[in-house]
Amino acid sequence: MTVKNQNETATGPLAEGQRWSAARKREVVLRMLRGESVDALSRELNIEIYRLEEWREKALTGIDESLKKRQGDPVQAELNQAMRRIG
C-alpha cells in the first residue's frame, strides 16, 4: 500500500472486511486515465477487471454530466428575478 499526503488516499489491496471508498475508487480511476494497465491494476489491487472498467465508465459519465451543467443559466436567472419581484 502506498501512503500519500493527508489529502490523498492510499491505494493498494484492501484488508479483510475493508470496503472501497469513493476516494479510493477515484484514485484507481485516475491511475487508469493516466495510462496504467487495467490488467496490472487488477493484479495489484486484487479486483476484477470488469469492476475497474465499471468504475471508469461511471467516472466518465459523472465528468460528462458535470460539464453539461451551465453556470449562470440565463433562464434560471430570469426566474429568480421574477420570483424576487413577486415577493
Side-chain angles (χ1 to χ4, degrees):
M1 185 182 301
T2 58
V3 180
K4 297 181 179 184
N5 73 33
Q6 204 171 23
N7 295 331
E8 297 180 34
T9 61
T11 59
L14 296 178
E16 186 67 32
Q18 203 174 13
R19 295 183 55 162
W20 282 93
S21 68
R24 287 178 60 95
K25 289 178 185 179
R26 181 185 63 236
E27 290 301 317
V28 172
V29 169
L30 288 173
R31 288 174 64 182
M32 286 189 288
L33 293 175
R34 289 183 191 120
E36 286 193 46
S37 165
V38 177
D39 291 333
L41 282 170
S42 175
R43 283 190 299 276
E44 175 189 333
L45 302 172
N46 194 27
I47 191 160
E48 302 88 354
I49 291 173
Y50 81 88
R51 193 174 310 271
L52 293 174
E53 291 178 347
E54 183 180 84
W55 293 351
R56 179 176 49 202
E57 288 305 312
K58 285 182 178 182
L60 292 175
T61 300
I63 291 170
D64 289 344
E65 290 302 315
S66 69
L67 293 175
K68 289 179 184 177
K69 292 181 183 175
R70 289 184 178 181
Q71 294 205 354
D73 185 2
V75 174
Q76 186 63 43
E78 191 173 328
L79 179 61
N80 290 342
Q81 186 178 21
M83 293 299 282
R84 273 184 256 139
R85 276 190 243 143
I86 293 171

